């Protein structure tokens, strides 16, 4: 039956040894699809998390992420709903930032010592993820992500994670953060309902192989198992463009590998391709 046939097909694919190779852009273009049904033939592994030393950060990264998600832009205050009240206050206190209830607000809490440090980082009325927080240790960046997800994130019924925000600046910062943690993801925009004054909203969907929540009610739903497709970036198109002068470079490391762009796409100019640059182009500049 159909189920048995699909299972046999999957096992057959798993038995095939996948090997990497060096290809020119033209070779990729000519072999873009593996079969007539349009199965993609080429992929690049998603980069592992950037392994960086701990950074000297003036605000605990979890607390900063929590404030970026549910904090008052002008003050060192956060909003905490009844469903997460005890766990959220415990998480903030455990990071060294106890909270005090604001008498005139139902869900408002002042975070002790936070406002002065936010002002020092230029974040009051200017919410964004500061650059040093994107290049701390893996543990620091994971803590920042937990703060964002405990406020503006959730796990769906299938365990997939989603981060929601109306600020494009925060969404782009969260996307960069996920890239540094080796997490493949997509950003989607949602238009507001007609007749409302709301602007665009943004959503990031992803699956992470490590916990991205500290609040138990959210953490219990998270799926930590990556599908095979979530470990690769697939080459879906190759387009010819006008020729431009280029500079071939090789990074000073054993495999000459480097990460390109904010998306941290693994790439390199191999010795083979550098040789082609020197022999098959009329003019080349090669840096070693």
């Amino acid at each position: 039956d159909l189920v048995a046939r699909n299972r046999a097909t999957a096992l057959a694919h798993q038995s095939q040894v996948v090997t990497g190779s060096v290809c020119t852009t033209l070779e990729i273009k000519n072999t873009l699809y593996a079969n007539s049904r349009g199965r993609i033939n080429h992929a690049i592994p998603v980069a592992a998390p950037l392994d960086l030393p701990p950074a000297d950060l003036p605000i605990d990264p979890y607390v900063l992420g929590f404030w970026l998600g549910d904090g008052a832009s002008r003050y060192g205050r956060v909003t905490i709903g009844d469903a997460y009240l005890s766990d959220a206050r415990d998480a903030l206190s455990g990071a060294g930032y106890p909270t005090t209830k604001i008498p005139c607000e139902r869900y408002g809490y002042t975070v002790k010592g936070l406002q002065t440090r936010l002002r020092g980082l230029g974040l009051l009325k200017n919410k964004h993820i500061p650059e040093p927080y994107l290049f701390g240790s893996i543990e620091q960046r994971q803590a920042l992500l937990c703060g964002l997800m405990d406020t503006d994130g959730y796990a769906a019924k299938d365990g997939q994670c989603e981060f929601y925000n109306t600020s494009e600046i925060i969404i782009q910062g969260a996307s960069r953060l996920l890239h540094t943690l080796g997490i493949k993801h997509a950003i989607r925009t949602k238009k507001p309902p007609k007749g409302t004054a709301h602007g665009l909203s943004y959503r990031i969907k992803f699956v992470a192989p490590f916990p991205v929540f500290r609040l138990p009610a959210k953490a219990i739903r998270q799926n930590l198992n990556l599908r095979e497709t979530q470990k690769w970036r697939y080459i879906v198109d190759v387009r010819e463009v006008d020729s431009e002068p280029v500079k071939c470079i090789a990074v000073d490391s054993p495999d000459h590998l480097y990460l390109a762009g904010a998306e941290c796409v693994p790439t390199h100019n191999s010795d083979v391709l550098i040789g082609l640059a020197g022999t098959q182009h009329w003019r080349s500049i090669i840096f070693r």
Side-chain angles (χ1 to χ4, degrees):
D1 60 4
L2 182 60
V3 174
R5 189 168 67 231
N6 288 342
R7 184 178 294 114
T9 301
L11 290 174
H13 287 161
Q14 290 175 7
S15 65
Q16 298 174 1
V17 178
V18 179
T19 58
S21 63
V22 176
C23 300
T24 66
T25 309
L26 182 59
E27 288 171 337
I28 295 174
K29 180 177 186 293
N30 291 338
T31 58
L32 190 61
Y33 301 108
N35 54 37
S36 59
R37 292 177 294 178
R39 186 167 70 86
I40 296 298
N41 195 32
H42 299 281
I44 302 170
V46 174
L50 302 184
D51 190 2
L52 304 171
D56 184 13
L57 304 175
I59 300 174
D60 179 87
Y62 175 80
V63 176
L64 177 62
F66 199 102
W67 178 81
L68 288 171
D70 273 353
S73 179
R74 296 172 178 267
Y75 309 102
R77 303 175 181 175
V78 294
T79 299
I80 307 175
D82 291 337
Y84 307 114
L85 180 57
S86 178
D87 290 328
R89 296 188 72 181
D90 286 346
L92 293 170
S93 180
Y97 289 78
T99 58
T100 304
K101 180 74 172 66
I102 301 173
C104 58
E105 296 184 17
R106 181 176 178 182
Y107 302 115
Y109 293 81
T110 298
V111 183
K112 186 177 181 180
L114 180 58
Q115 184 161 318
T116 300
R117 298 185 182 187
L118 290 171
R119 183 180 294 109
L121 284 172
L123 292 174
L124 294 180
K125 296 187 291 185
N126 182 29
K127 277 189 172 186
H128 65 278
I129 299 177
E131 199 77 5
Y133 283 81
L134 295 171
F135 296 99
S137 66
I138 293 176
E139 293 75 17
Q140 288 175 323
R141 283 176 279 132
Q142 287 179 345
L144 174 61
L145 180 59
C146 284
L148 292 168
M149 295 298 291
D150 275 354
T151 50
D152 284 345
Y154 71 94
K157 291 182 179 180
D158 62 357
Q160 182 174 223
C161 298
E162 184 168 317
F163 177 70
Y164 167 88
N165 206 282
T166 57
S167 168
E168 185 176 4
I169 293 175
I170 291 180
I171 282 289
Q172 292 298 335
S175 176
R176 288 185 63 193
L177 175 65
L178 289 171
H179 284 308
T180 72
L181 289 169
I183 300 176
K184 180 180 175 180
H185 61 278
I187 300 177
R188 294 178 172 84
T189 58
K190 183 178 180 180
K191 294 182 178 180
K194 290 184 178 180
T196 66
H198 302 294
L200 286 174
S201 60
Y202 305 87
R203 295 177 184 270
I204 300 179
K205 292 187 175 183
F206 63 93
V207 176
F210 56 85
V212 299
F213 302 100
R214 290 189 182 177
L215 300 182
K218 293 189 177 186
I220 197 172
R221 295 170 62 113
Q222 183 186 348
N223 174 20
L224 300 174
N225 299 313
L226 293 179
R227 299 193 306 272
E228 192 63 28
T229 56
Q230 292 162 335
K231 302 175 183 178
W232 298 86
R233 295 179 179 276
Y234 294 88
I235 300 176
V236 298
D237 197 8
V238 177
R239 301 177 185 179
E240 185 174 354
V241 297
D242 293 336
S243 179
E244 296 285 349
V246 298
K247 298 178 181 179
C248 294
I249 65 172
V251 175
D252 186 15
S253 69
D255 57 8
H256 307 312
L257 189 71
Y258 60 94
L259 301 178
E263 294 79 10
C264 299
V265 179
T267 187
H268 71 96
N269 291 320
S270 72
D271 292 338
V272 172
L273 296 184
I274 289 176
L276 290 175
T279 60
Q280 297 195 17
H281 293 273
W282 175 65
R283 178 180 297 167
S284 301
I285 302 175
I286 303 177
F287 290 86
R288 295 301 301 261

